[in-house]
Amino acid sequence: MLLNNRYRIIRTLGSGGFGETFLAEDTQIPSARRCVIKQLRLIQHNPQTYQLVQQRFAREAAILEELGDGNSQIPTLYAYFDEGQLFYLAQEYIQGQTLSQVVANRGCLSESRVREILISLLNVLDYVHSKGIVHRDIKPENIIIRSSDNQPVLIDFGAVRETVATQVNSQGNVTSSIVIGTPGFMPMEQAVGRAVFASDLYSLGLVAIYLLTAKLPQQLETDSYSGEINWQRKAVSSNFAAVLDKAIRSHLRERFSSAKEMLEALQQKPTLKIGTSVPSTPKIAKSSAKGNWFNSAFFGGVIGGCGLLAFILFPEEIKQLHKNIFQPKPTETPPMTSFYFLADSAFRDINNANNQITNLKNAGYSQAEKFWLRDYPNLSNNPYHQVYVAKYSSRRSCIESLRNFIRRNKNAYCAFASKNANESPNYFYGSQIESSQTNSKPSPSQAVRDYYSTINNGNYSISWNLLSPRFQRNKSNNSYSEYTNWWNKVERVEVEQAKTLSTTSNSATVETQMKYYMKDGRVIPDAQRFKLVWNAQLQNWNFDDSSKLN
């Protein structure tokens, strides 16, 4: 088989929702040079869309050509063409192993090797970002360790896939409901279509943690106090851990703003390995008077005798050691009692379920797993193993992923799994997507339910960021610690009713009745009237005010 009367296909390298990737040889040059052919298929087929994608595809190809010519760690673009209403890229074939293959073959990598890889890729990203480009799909499968020089090569930029996902609606407006990125490796702002340079750094930080631990993001725990990822499972230098912690902060403002800034932090002199636990909770308040007295007493003792020499030589290590010994350790994250999930299929036989999970992971759905349906009585009491594509803290996030996944499985749906048999499963089927407006806002009442689902899952940093600055100031004294201190007393919240009383384009009022199930055994009924405001930038409802109802 010849593509463009030139490229002979040797074998298929991979396939996914956007097309296939082939290893091919160029028959029109004497060396019959091998190359990678990426085939990209249109999401929508009509003449208007095809012409628009043609123009955009040419533009993105020109960008790929410039990037490849300007950096040896980005594949060179040889050609681009369209044939049979499919679009193709011919790129340099990089011989080597992806980082996924490296970990599968060798296990965890050493800190020094991960640091080398990270520094090298940060230089690549600094170059890419200087061109105004966000990669948007940095993950172990998209980084190849080149055999010839052992350098990491960055492949598969997301903008090209977004191009073929372009659609034209009935009013002639250009739209795209596809979120480019891989669940688990992409941050919250990217999941709602707002990728920035720091989004790439978040993904790269999780790649580094994967190399250190051999754990994918969905296999890592989330701190029940801060909502941040808790990944430390082996001894690494404290400054290296601090760099990775900052890169993967859930809130955009707390991360590195540029690859150069992260690179400078990484290249500071490494500190001693002092243990396996480096606190990942962000600083949220000044130390109390009692804490200051204790610090003074502690360091006063250290300065006496031989401790003086240690403090002079390794001041940061002594401070960190003090934190590790005396700072209260966060409790382990409790198992999730409720979550949204993107359902693929269900099986009585666990082997069939495991085979389907393998199929999904091979197709690029790295978070695919299963759970026992009977464990979540609000769904059913059927003895089935439910295979899902991924779990989500909000219904909206699940539906956004469903828009893409129904191209693979038209019977897929989103649902809410809960240990509470009385809670609604909130089923949303793929067939409902076509009949709904792609750009419609989620209902305010559902936004309230999603907020408390996030609380029940212990994702407090996400729920905190759903509060307006006024709400944060008035209800929690603008203190994240005060906010989490309250929620850590609560086992779960059960929303009995959420009713939208009024709504405009930018605001809404929701009356909510709920119960707090406290960890001390009490059950506290509550009724609140929430004022919500629409956040146009993040496309979600924020809590702006509330008043208690009698």
Side-chain angles (χ1 to χ4, degrees):
M1 174 184 177
L2 283 182
L3 291 174
N4 203 33
N5 291 319
R6 178 169 185 168
Y7 300 101
R8 178 179 289 112
I9 301 299
I10 298 173
R11 69 174 185 271
T12 300
L13 295 176
S15 62
F18 292 93
E20 294 184 274
T21 305
F22 308 101
L23 178 63
E25 59 183 13
D26 190 340
T27 64
Q28 294 187 15
I29 59 175
S31 65
R33 177 181 59 196
R34 290 195 168 189
C35 59
V36 170
I37 302 290
K38 293 192 70 66
Q39 177 202 77
L40 299 148
R41 61 174 68 97
L42 286 172
I43 298 299
Q44 187 182 65
H45 291 278
N46 61 57
Q48 187 179 8
T49 303
Y50 187 81
Q51 184 176 9
L52 181 62
V53 171
Q54 263 189 324
Q55 297 169 356
R56 291 190 171 192
F57 188 66
R59 190 162 61 242
E60 294 301 334
I63 292 172
L64 286 178
E65 181 182 26
E66 181 183 3
L67 291 176
D69 288 347
N71 193 289
S72 63
Q73 288 170 259
I74 298 172
T76 302
L77 180 70
Y78 295 143
Y80 76 97
F81 56 94
D82 56 280
E83 187 175 284
Q85 294 211 331
L86 295 171
F87 293 83
Y88 296 89
L89 295 170
Q91 293 180 294
E92 177 186 5
Y93 173 52
I94 307 298
Q95 288 188 306
Q97 291 185 319
T98 66
L99 290 182
S100 293
Q101 292 169 328
V102 170
V103 171
N105 293 333
R106 305 180 193 173
C108 303
L109 303 188
S110 67
E111 178 183 337
S112 60
R113 179 54 179 150
V114 175
R115 186 185 288 269
E116 289 174 1
I117 292 171
L118 204 53
I119 289 173
S120 185
L121 288 172
L122 282 169
N123 281 303
V124 178
L125 280 181
D126 184 43
Y127 166 72
V128 171
H129 292 170
S130 72
K131 303 294 183 181
I133 308 299
V134 181
H135 185 283
R136 288 192 288 178
D137 199 14
I138 294 176
K139 59 183 178 180
E141 292 86 348
N142 284 344
I143 300 167
I144 298 175
I145 301 300
R146 187 164 46 202
S147 301
S148 60
D149 59 4
N150 218 26
Q151 286 295 309
V153 177
L154 190 57
I155 67 171
D156 207 10
F157 284 72
V160 176
R161 280 173 287 152
E162 185 182 53
T163 295
V164 297
T166 299
Q167 300 181 40
V168 180
N169 62 24
S170 57
Q171 288 77 41
N173 297 322
V174 177
T175 66
S176 177
S177 62
I178 305 300
V179 174
I180 302 299
T182 300
F185 283 98
M186 64 176 170
M188 184 169 59
E189 74 275 1
Q190 186 174 333
V192 295
R194 300 287 187 276
V196 294
F197 296 148
S199 306
D200 280 348
L201 304 181
Y202 177 95
S203 303
L204 186 59
L206 284 173
V207 168
I209 290 169
Y210 168 73
L211 296 179
L212 290 168
T213 65
K215 289 186 177 182
L216 294 168
Q218 63 270 22
Q219 297 172 310
L220 301 172
E221 295 180 355
T222 300
D223 190 280
S224 59
Y225 287 93
S226 67
E228 302 294 346
I229 295 172
N230 183 13
W231 60 271
Q232 288 86 354
R233 290 295 178 269
K234 61 182 293 185
V236 296
S237 60
S238 59
N239 78 309
F240 191 45
V243 169
L244 297 184
D245 280 340
K246 185 171 181 178
I248 63 169
R249 291 288 187 217
S250 59
H251 201 292
L252 180 61
R253 289 177 298 183
E254 297 177 358
R255 293 185 224 139
F256 295 103
S257 60
S258 68
K260 189 179 295 293
E261 182 187 0
M262 185 173 172
L263 188 61
E264 289 173 354
L266 194 62
Q267 290 177 323
Q268 292 177 2
K269 185 178 179 181
T271 53
L272 292 179
K273 294 182 179 180
I274 55 176
T276 61
S277 177
V278 180
S280 61
T281 305
K283 292 183 179 178
I284 51 182
K286 293 182 179 178
S287 301
S288 65
K290 179 180 179 181
N292 288 335
W293 173 87
F294 182 83
N295 288 342
S296 300
F298 175 81
F299 287 111
V302 170
I303 291 174
C306 296
L308 175 62
L309 180 60
F311 183 70
I312 293 172
L313 294 178
F314 306 115
E316 293 303 317
E317 287 71 15
I318 296 299
K319 291 177 184 177
Q320 189 63 59
L321 187 58
H322 162 241
K323 286 184 179 181
N324 282 351
I325 296 173
F326 297 102
Q327 182 170 295
K329 300 295 188 294
T331 58
E332 290 187 5
T333 304
M336 289 169 54
T337 60
S338 61
F339 52 86
Y340 287 92
F341 66 97
L342 175 49
D344 173 76
S345 48
F347 301 88
R348 284 185 180 274
D349 187 343
I350 192 172
N351 293 323
N352 292 336
N354 290 335
N355 289 338
Q356 179 62 7
I357 291 169
T358 300
N359 292 336
L360 288 170
K361 288 185 174 180
N362 288 340
Y365 300 98
S366 59
Q367 294 188 66
E369 271 301 338
K370 66 179 182 297
F371 63 83
W372 184 242
L373 269 173
R374 282 182 170 171
D375 288 342
Y376 296 90
N378 77 313
L379 293 170
S380 83
N381 284 315
N382 292 326
Y384 286 98
H385 300 278
Q386 175 67 63
V387 175
Y388 62 86
V389 178
K391 290 181 180 179
Y392 304 88
S393 61
S394 75
R395 185 171 186 260
R396 181 175 177 82
S397 299
C398 185
I399 292 173
E400 287 302 315
S401 296
L402 176 64
R403 294 182 192 280
N404 182 40
F405 188 70
I406 56 173
R407 296 182 177 89
R408 175 185 175 91
N409 180 358
K410 65 181 181 180
N411 296 317
Y413 61 88
C414 285
F416 181 66
S418 174
K419 300 285 189 179
N420 180 359
N422 296 320
E423 292 200 74
S424 169
N426 269 318
Y427 291 112
F428 189 94
Y429 296 92
S431 58
Q432 294 175 252
I433 288 179
E434 295 180 0
S435 60
S436 64
Q437 292 290 331
T438 301
N439 59 353
S440 63
K441 296 176 182 175
S443 76
S445 59
Q446 187 60 50
V448 172
R449 291 184 180 277
D450 288 347
Y451 171 79
Y452 284 109
S453 294
T454 302
I455 291 289
N456 287 338
N457 288 337
N459 296 324
Y460 300 138
S461 64
I462 295 176
S463 60
W464 173 256
N465 291 323
L466 289 172
L467 308 180
S468 71
R470 181 170 77 157
F471 200 106
Q472 292 174 349
R473 182 178 62 252
N474 293 345
K475 305 301 179 181
S476 298
N477 296 321
N478 211 30
S479 170
Y480 179 73
S481 61
E482 184 172 313
Y483 176 78
T484 55
N485 285 343
W486 156 250
W487 286 116
N488 280 313
K489 300 174 184 176
V490 180
E491 185 70 40
R492 75 177 193 278
V493 183
E494 183 179 313
V495 178
E496 297 179 322
Q497 183 180 15
K499 180 181 179 182
T500 302
L501 300 180
S502 64
T503 181
T504 68
S505 60
N506 296 314
S507 66
T509 303
V510 179
E511 192 171 286
T512 308
Q513 294 181 358
M514 57 199 135
K515 288 181 179 177
Y516 298 99
Y517 289 82
M518 310 301 290
K519 290 181 178 178
D520 62 10
R522 291 177 298 153
V523 178
I524 304 174
D526 192 20
Q528 296 279 346
R529 182 168 291 168
F530 293 107
K531 179 186 176 183
L532 307 182
V533 293
W534 180 247
N535 187 324
Q537 182 179 7
L538 293 179
Q539 293 289 293
N540 61 20
W541 289 104
N542 284 359
F543 288 68
D544 191 51
D545 200 3
S546 69
S547 56
K548 193 175 181 66
L549 301 176
N550 293 328

